Amino acid sequence: MGQSASDASWPAGIPEIHLHPTDLPSDELPEEAKGWLLFVKKEYQRVSTPEEGLRQRRALIEKWATASQEFRESYHSRAPACTSARDYPASLLSQQAPRPDKRFLCLPPVDPQTHPRNYIHLVKLLIMMYIHQDEWNGQHPFDQAGPGHAPRSHIPEFLNLATPIALNDILSELHLSSADFHALSMTRSGTVVFADGSDYTWYVIEESELATGRMTIVEFGSDGSVRDSIVRRAWNMGRVMAFGQSLGRRVADLEESCIGGPPQYNEPLNMDRPIIELLEATRMDSKFLYEGFGYMDLWVRLIEQNAPGYLDLEAQGREVEFKLDNLRNVGIDTL
C-alpha cells in the first residue's frame, strides 16, 4: 500500500492525508482521536524490523485517511473514552525511538564548507546568546531551563533540508514523514493532528534571522500552524527564558508584555560585522535592555570564556574554522 518505507517524501502524492484545518484545543484531542486509537489497536500487528514498523504506521495512517466517513464513525461510535490522543499500544511505540526532546532548531543550511557565510553568522548568533544581560539566570539563557531536555541545549538541531520550509511546516517535517506516533494522532474526519509538540515553546533560527542575529520564539497549534510567535535578538533571550520557561508564560504573554524587549530593541543586526563592533554599536545606540550595559573588556571576557579562540580567528578572517564544540556547555551538560 502506498509508497516505500524509505521514501522520505511520504505522504506526497496521497492527497487524502493532510493536516486538520483548524487548531483544536488539547483537551478536545482525545475525543477526536478515540476512534483512530481503537482502529490502530485492532489493526496493528507486531513487526520484526524498524522498516516494517515504519511501513505499517504509514499504512495505518493512509487507510484511516482514505476510508469512508462511515467507516471512521463505526470506530468512533464504539471507542471508549481516553485521556490521551496518543494512547497507542506500548509495543507499537517501542518500534520507534521518540525524537530527542529538543525544541531549538536551525532551518537554513550551515555547513562550513558549502555555506560558510551562514556558518559564520550561526557562530556569532550562538556566541551572542552568552551575552544575555541576565546573569542571575545563569551564564546562558538555557542554563536554568532549556528548550527541552536533550543534551547540548546551546546547539540547535540542524534539519539539513534540501529546500527551505516555513514555520508552519516544522511539525510535519519532524513527525509526519516518519509517521511518528509519539507525536501525531488522527481525528474522526481522517485528518492529522499533533498531540505532542504543539502548546510547547520552540526556538527557531530561520534564514532571514540567521543574517540578522535573531530567532523566532514560536508556539504551534495542533494543526501545525503558528499559533503565536515573536522575534528576539540573541542577547535578549535571557529574559525570554526566565519568564517563558521558568515562570510558564506563553508566547502570547511574552509578546503582550514585551518580554525580551520591544521592537526597537530587536531590530535586525548586520551579522557581517565583527562581533565586538556589533556589541559596541548596540551599547552606543542604547539598544540593550539595560541602559549602559557592557563595555569592551566585558565583551572580550565573555567571548573568551564561552567561545575560546573565536576572537583570534575572527581577527584573521578565519572564523569559519571555529568549531561549535568549543562553545561552553550549558545547563545539565555541565553537571
Side-chain angles (χ1 to χ4, degrees), residues 199-216:
D199 294 332
Y200 291 111
T201 302
W202 295 70
Y203 306 86
V204 183
I205 303 170
E206 298 184 85
E207 182 94 45
S208 60
E209 294 165 355
L210 191 61
T212 57
R214 304 178 300 167
M215 70 177 68
T216 296

Side-chain angles (χ1 to χ4, degrees), residues 227-275:
R227 184 182 291 160
D228 294 294
S229 68
I230 57 176
V231 176
R232 294 292 182 264
R233 288 180 175 179
W235 51 54
N236 290 338
M237 287 298 298
R239 189 74 62 85
V240 170
M241 295 303 296
F243 281 81
Q245 294 291 86
S246 300
L247 300 180
R249 300 282 185 89
R250 305 289 289 267
V251 174
D253 300 326
L254 301 178
E255 180 177 24
E256 182 179 359
S257 302
C258 289
I259 301 301
Q264 64 267 29
Y265 287 83
N266 290 286
E267 294 171 343
L269 297 164
N270 179 1
M271 294 293 278
D272 289 325
R273 298 178 69 180
I275 192 168

Side-chain angles (χ1 to χ4, degrees), residues 23-32 82-85 199 222 227:
D23 176 13
L24 295 174
S26 57
D27 59 356
E28 294 182 13
L29 293 180
E31 174 64 22
E32 276 287 330
C82 58
T83 58
S84 170
D199 294 332
S222 61
R227 184 182 291 160

Side-chain angles (χ1 to χ4, degrees), residues 99-110 118-119 121-127 129-130 140 142 147 150-160 174 202-206 210 214-216 324-325 327 330 333:
R99 179 183 168 275
D101 180 22
K102 189 159 198 168
R103 300 188 302 278
F104 182 23
L105 307 177
C106 181
L107 303 188
V110 291
N118 277 4
Y119 181 78
H121 290 170
L122 173 72
V123 169
K124 288 181 186 176
L125 188 152
L126 296 181
I127 293 173
M129 291 186 71
Y130 292 92
H140 189 281
F142 298 159
R152 290 168 57 86
S153 61
H154 60 300
I155 305 294
E157 177 180 344
F158 303 107
L159 298 193
N160 297 317
L174 294 176
W202 295 70
Y203 306 86
V204 183
I205 303 170
E206 298 184 85
L210 191 61
R214 304 178 300 167
M215 70 177 68
T216 296
L324 297 184
D325 286 343
L327 293 171
V330 305
D333 298 331

Side-chain angles (χ1 to χ4, degrees), residues 53-309:
L54 174 59
R55 190 176 297 112
Q56 178 174 220
R57 295 192 306 275
R58 286 178 170 178
L60 290 170
I61 292 172
E62 185 173 343
K63 184 173 181 179
W64 186 257
T66 58
S68 67
Q69 189 59 36
E70 181 182 7
F71 175 85
R72 290 191 291 262
E73 289 295 339
S74 71
Y75 278 91
H76 188 85
S77 62
R78 55 194 169 94
C82 58
T83 58
S84 170
R86 296 178 293 126
D87 187 17
Y88 297 111
S91 55
L92 186 156
L93 292 175
S94 67
Q95 298 173 357
Q96 180 184 28
R99 179 183 168 275
D101 180 22
K102 189 159 198 168
R103 300 188 302 278
F104 182 23
L105 307 177
C106 181
L107 303 188
V110 291
D111 183 276
Q113 301 299 320
T114 58
H115 295 83
R117 187 164 179 256
N118 277 4
Y119 181 78
I120 291 171
H121 290 170
L122 173 72
V123 169
K124 288 181 186 176
L125 188 152
L126 296 181
I127 293 173
M128 286 157 52
M129 291 186 71
Y130 292 92
I131 307 170
H132 66 86
Q133 309 159 73
D134 291 300
E135 293 193 12
W136 51 271
N137 192 45
Q139 292 180 296
H140 189 281
F142 298 159
D143 263 331
Q144 303 299 323
H149 296 93
R152 290 168 57 86
S153 61
H154 60 300
I155 305 294
E157 177 180 344
F158 303 107
L159 298 193
N160 297 317
L161 303 174
T163 56
I165 64 170
L167 290 174
N168 287 333
D169 299 322
I170 285 178
L171 293 189
S172 291
E173 180 67 33
L174 294 176
H175 301 300
L176 184 53
S177 176
S178 60
D180 183 2
F181 281 20
H182 292 282
L184 65 79
S185 192
M186 299 192 75
T187 69
R188 64 192 299 178
S189 59
T191 53
V192 174
V193 289
F194 298 104
D196 186 60
S198 60
D199 294 332
Y200 291 111
T201 302
W202 295 70
Y203 306 86
V204 183
I205 303 170
E206 298 184 85
E207 182 94 45
S208 60
E209 294 165 355
L210 191 61
T212 57
R214 304 178 300 167
M215 70 177 68
T216 296
I217 300 92
V218 58
E219 181 180 310
F220 296 107
S222 61
D223 58 349
S225 66
V226 173
R227 184 182 291 160
D228 294 294
S229 68
I230 57 176
V231 176
R232 294 292 182 264
R233 288 180 175 179
W235 51 54
N236 290 338
M237 287 298 298
R239 189 74 62 85
V240 170
M241 295 303 296
F243 281 81
Q245 294 291 86
S246 300
L247 300 180
R249 300 282 185 89
R250 305 289 289 267
V251 174
D253 300 326
L254 301 178
E255 180 177 24
E256 182 179 359
S257 302
C258 289
I259 301 301
Q264 64 267 29
Y265 287 83
N266 290 286
E267 294 171 343
L269 297 164
N270 179 1
M271 294 293 278
D272 289 325
R273 298 178 69 180
I275 192 168
I276 295 292
E277 282 189 18
L278 283 171
L279 291 161
E280 275 295 287
T282 302
R283 182 182 66 82
M284 295 295 291
D285 291 341
S286 298
K287 290 296 178 67
F288 282 115
L289 297 181
Y290 300 115
E291 186 175 355
F293 171 75
Y295 48 90
M296 183 70 71
D297 288 347
L298 177 65
W299 310 142
V300 173
R301 176 170 61 82
L302 289 175
I303 294 170
E304 284 299 325
Q305 175 182 315
N306 296 294

